[in-house]
Amino acid sequence: MCIFAVVMKKNAMKKEKDGALINSVESEQSRSKTKILKVHNVNDYARYIGAPVLHPLVSVIHYDELEHCRHSLNNYDVYGIFIGDETLEELTYGLTTYDLHRHALMCVAPGQIGGKADTGEEIQTKGWALLFDPELIHGTDLEHRMPSYTYFSYNTNEALLMTAEQRLTIVNLLETLRKELPDADGQTPYIIVAYLQLILEYIARYYAGQLSSQVQSSSDLLTRFENLLKRYYEEGQQLTYGLPSVKYCAQELFLSPNYFGDLIKQMTDDTAGNIIRRFVMQQAQKLLISGVSITSTAEQLGFEYPQHFTRMFKKHFGVSPSQYLNNKR
């Protein structure tokens, strides 16, 4: 189940019409050739590992049933959900390795790469996979709901660690969905989409519980977040890189932007972006009150243009910087 190791591509490649292509890329670490399986459609991966082809747009795979499964490093043009029913060791994310416990669940989205390079070795693994094509949900309510499932962009070390009961709920849904795929009729597309949404909603519920429990164990996250912002300005990084971003803060705290944002939302009922803006505006107040001009304040805070600073200041305080200063006099 080495598909759990996920890294983000910078640009999603255009979907090809023909089958999976194997591309050779040079590894930065070993400088050896690494094969990447291009998963243009759900059955490119199913055929590669010898799983049954059940539907052109949906694939439900039970790894326990496979006799000739192999590792693969996959470049996805589809959505994927993977459940591991055994302890998974030495999975890679960038230059770091992680171990995942039993019943871990990981999601991937189009434009992501994940897995482990094929060594030619046949492996025995346990678990489930669900892959579905974005075309399947085009124009549906589920398509509009997809951006709310932020877990599709979580890092490998942020996988959902399900209880046995939670795993059973998801697996039961996968088994029922799999039975729908071979014998399609007029209602099948609606039933498939309904099952997909139900599965995704359960995953969202379970992740909400995991985030809530991690809020208790990450009680210092807000302090580290605030200290990071202070250090950013103390070191003058804003003069080179501009305003601090959610992505930057997440990376410095060893979290994916989505997971970081969801944790902050759980802890504060506010967004990480709003907290950053509030911090920046507090610094603006201090500078303006100390006599620094509006233009110099904007520059010292990392704004590219003074008017951008004025716009944010007015949105935050309800008055422009000049009006704010007049009220203080």
Side-chain angles (χ1 to χ4, degrees), residues 70-131:
R70 288 159 53 192
H71 290 300
S72 63
L73 185 61
N74 305 322
N75 184 338
Y76 295 96
D77 280 344
V78 300
Y79 290 100
I81 297 169
F82 301 94
I83 298 175
D85 283 342
E86 57 188 353
T87 300
L88 309 172
E89 298 179 346
E90 296 185 350
L91 300 178
T92 59
Y93 180 83
L95 301 178
T96 310
T97 60
Y98 296 100
D99 294 342
L100 293 181
H101 303 292
R102 289 186 68 206
H103 308 330
L105 182 148
M106 187 68 201
C107 301
V108 298
Q112 294 179 351
I113 295 176
K116 187 175 182 179
D118 177 24
T119 61
E121 175 190 6
E122 291 189 356
I123 59 173
Q124 292 291 323
T125 190
K126 296 180 180 180
W128 289 80
L130 166 64
L131 292 91

Side-chain angles (χ1 to χ4, degrees), residues 120-313:
E121 175 190 6
E122 291 189 356
I123 59 173
Q124 292 291 323
T125 190
K126 296 180 180 180
W128 289 80
L130 166 64
L131 292 91
F132 62 96
D133 196 299
E135 180 184 337
L136 178 72
I137 62 174
H138 180 64
T140 67
D141 290 339
L142 179 55
E143 181 182 37
H144 300 298
R145 184 86 173 105
M146 289 303 292
S148 70
Y149 302 131
T150 52
Y151 50 77
F152 276 100
S153 294
Y154 287 172
N155 286 347
T156 303
N157 60 318
E158 299 158 349
L160 174 63
L161 303 181
M162 297 184 293
T163 65
E165 183 179 357
Q166 290 171 341
R167 175 220 173 257
L168 183 60
T169 298
I170 300 297
V171 167
N172 284 341
L173 290 171
L174 291 175
E175 288 178 327
T176 306
L177 174 58
R178 184 163 68 157
K179 293 175 183 176
E180 285 286 336
L181 300 180
D183 303 315
D185 57 29
Q187 295 302 118
T188 301
Y190 304 103
I191 293 173
I192 291 174
V193 172
Y195 269 106
L196 288 177
Q197 183 155 359
L198 187 56
I199 290 168
L200 297 180
E201 291 295 343
Y202 269 112
I203 294 173
R205 170 188 282 180
Y206 298 154
Y207 255 122
Q210 179 167 300
L211 286 166
S212 293
S213 65
Q214 289 193 354
V215 163
Q216 304 301 320
S217 61
S218 303
S219 57
D220 68 333
L221 180 62
L222 284 176
T223 301
R224 290 188 288 125
F225 184 17
E226 183 177 355
N227 289 338
L228 175 64
L229 293 173
K230 290 179 180 177
R231 189 166 64 251
Y232 189 87
Y233 279 96
E234 287 170 357
E235 295 175 354
Q237 295 189 59
Q238 78 280 8
L239 302 178
T240 302
Y241 304 109
L243 296 174
S245 66
V246 173
K247 181 179 179 181
Y248 166 82
C249 293
Q251 289 174 340
E252 290 297 303
L253 296 169
F254 304 103
L255 297 167
S256 68
N258 277 352
Y259 202 82
F260 171 63
D262 290 344
L263 269 175
I264 293 297
K265 183 71 174 177
Q266 282 273 352
M267 298 176 78
T268 67
D269 198 29
D270 201 356
T271 68
N274 283 342
I275 292 175
I276 292 174
R277 283 189 287 274
R278 195 154 52 241
F279 178 86
V280 172
M281 289 298 96
Q282 289 171 352
Q283 306 311 304
Q285 278 183 302
K286 295 175 183 178
L287 290 171
L288 291 172
I289 292 173
S290 69
V292 178
S293 70
I294 295 173
T295 300
S296 294
T297 296
E299 182 180 343
Q300 289 185 38
L301 290 175
F303 286 87
E304 188 173 1
Y305 301 106
Q307 55 266 37
H308 292 172
F309 165 65
T310 298
R311 191 179 305 125
M312 183 185 290
F313 191 96

